[in-house]
Amino acid sequence: MHFPRVAGTCTIGIVSDIHYAGAAEHLRGNDYEFRTLTNPLLRFILRLHRRFIWLHQPLDQNHLLDRFLENGTKFDYAVANGDYSCNTAFVGVSDEASRESARECLEKLRKTFGERLRLTVGDHELGKTSFLGGRGGMRLASWRHVREGLGLAGFWRLEIGKYVLLGVVSSLIALPVYEPDTLPEERPEWAKLRQEHLAEIRKAFVELRAGQKVLLFCHDPSALPFLWREEAIRSRVNQIEQTVIGHLHSNLILRQGRILAGMPRITFLGHTATRISSALREARHWRPFKVRLCPSLAGLELLKDGGYLTARLDPQGVDPVQFQLHSVPRNKPLA
């Protein structure tokens, strides 16, 4: 599909971690994450984490998407950087309720932006094991629904003057980290999908022309160290002006991740601790990608720091991209 080059400054609206809850997911209740935990201490800890730190009412934030869409006419393009549902069954959009949430969210985005929209795949689309309790994981059925039912492209590319915008699937790239979340019988197919996806990304970097600049969109920064290991990408990493990530929800978490970069891998506190510490051990390789976080719309309960980004770029590539964070108030509109 052809997109005309933009004369003058181009503004891109960037939103991530929308976590939209359709009717069926909403019925599961805001305690879906800890309600079934049999260990009362773990249940209490997770309840406190949700109430005071992460997000108290995760299924009641749909109105924040409308706040972003109200500004849609100000953007020449829009990028949504993954996590469209709340993934309340922890198996991605292979779960019918999560799929319906994602579909409603995507319909709103597509209605507002049409062909100006680019959509990145997040970990909530494919599934991941719950923070506590060991439920769920990545499912191949979710990948099929992502591609065929929801119409997400996986890898995408958009050229605006001297800028090349690239969107990648972080869960595929970081499969060595996420592999314990997959079913053993599905791992060969996941490995094949990963190699196909890496081949697409390599090709895009090899085909870059001198003077072109890249804006990379990658939901989970855990994928970046694996991109760094690819010679075709590493040799052209100086052409990446910025990498926009999501997943971490708040710049507070990003700052902590940078502080903990290189930490030892923890293997004795369960699956989630192993996955997170493995990612942080490699976080020193984020630096060459010039990471910038697009927070979740809701942000952290602790800071109420949710919002979205705008990127103003000069298609001629003379001036660097100017990013701005726009806060989104949590309060619901009056009925």
Side-chain angles (χ1 to χ4, degrees), residues 222-242:
S222 300
L224 299 180
F226 296 98
L227 293 179
W228 177 251
R229 294 169 190 168
E230 297 288 332
E231 171 59 24
I233 298 169
R234 188 170 63 251
S235 63
R236 292 167 175 80
V237 75
N238 64 321
Q239 290 184 257
I240 299 177
E241 185 165 320
Q242 294 270 278

Side-chain angles (χ1 to χ4, degrees), residues 94-304:
S94 60
D95 168 56
E96 185 175 355
S98 297
R99 186 163 66 253
E100 185 56 36
S101 296
R103 183 178 294 111
E104 288 183 26
C105 177
L106 294 171
E107 284 176 354
K108 286 192 170 191
L109 288 164
R110 285 165 170 154
K111 182 179 180 181
T112 300
F113 298 110
E115 293 186 345
R116 297 179 292 142
L117 178 66
R118 289 295 180 274
L119 298 161
T120 306
V121 177
D123 55 309
H124 274 214
E125 280 68 74
L126 301 181
K128 65 176 181 178
T129 305
S130 60
F131 185 61
L132 293 173
R135 291 175 289 164
M138 289 174 63
R139 298 292 183 266
L140 279 175
S142 290
W143 176 252
R144 289 192 289 270
H145 283 293
V146 161
R147 298 301 307 276
E148 299 167 11
L150 299 178
L152 301 185
F155 175 79
W156 59 264
R157 182 182 187 279
L158 172 63
E159 190 170 334
I160 305 173
K162 289 188 176 181
Y163 280 92
V164 180
L165 281 60
L166 300 175
V168 299
V169 184
S170 56
S171 295
L172 284 181
I173 299 166
L175 185 62
V177 173
Y178 280 103
E179 189 175 64
D181 288 18
T182 64
L183 298 174
E185 62 271 21
E186 293 186 348
R187 287 172 188 168
E189 182 62 22
W190 280 121
K192 178 183 176 184
L193 290 169
R194 179 178 187 264
Q195 290 306 315
E196 291 172 350
H197 189 51
L198 286 172
E200 292 178 304
I201 302 168
R202 288 189 209 105
K203 183 174 184 290
F205 275 87
V206 167
E207 291 177 350
L208 287 174
R209 300 187 300 276
Q212 286 188 310
K213 301 182 179 183
V214 173
L215 292 183
L216 181 64
F217 292 85
C218 177
H219 177 76
D220 181 353
S222 300
L224 299 180
F226 296 98
L227 293 179
W228 177 251
R229 294 169 190 168
E230 297 288 332
E231 171 59 24
I233 298 169
R234 188 170 63 251
S235 63
R236 292 167 175 80
V237 75
N238 64 321
Q239 290 184 257
I240 299 177
E241 185 165 320
Q242 294 270 278
T243 297
V244 180
I245 63 167
H247 188 64
L248 303 182
H249 285 213
S250 167
N251 278 300
L252 174 64
I253 307 300
L254 177 59
R255 289 193 293 271
Q256 293 301 311
R258 284 171 168 157
I259 291 170
L260 295 172
M263 68 174 288
R265 186 168 178 262
I266 298 172
T267 59
F268 57 87
L269 291 178
H271 168 73
T272 300
T274 300
R275 183 180 66 205
I276 293 173
S277 62
S278 297
L280 288 173
R281 181 173 177 78
E282 298 291 326
R284 62 187 181 275
H285 296 306
W286 298 359
R287 189 175 294 110
F289 291 89
K290 307 176 186 70
V291 167
R292 181 177 296 271
L293 175 71
C294 180
S296 69
L297 280 174
L300 292 185
E301 194 69 37
L302 180 67
L303 300 176
K304 310 292 191 298

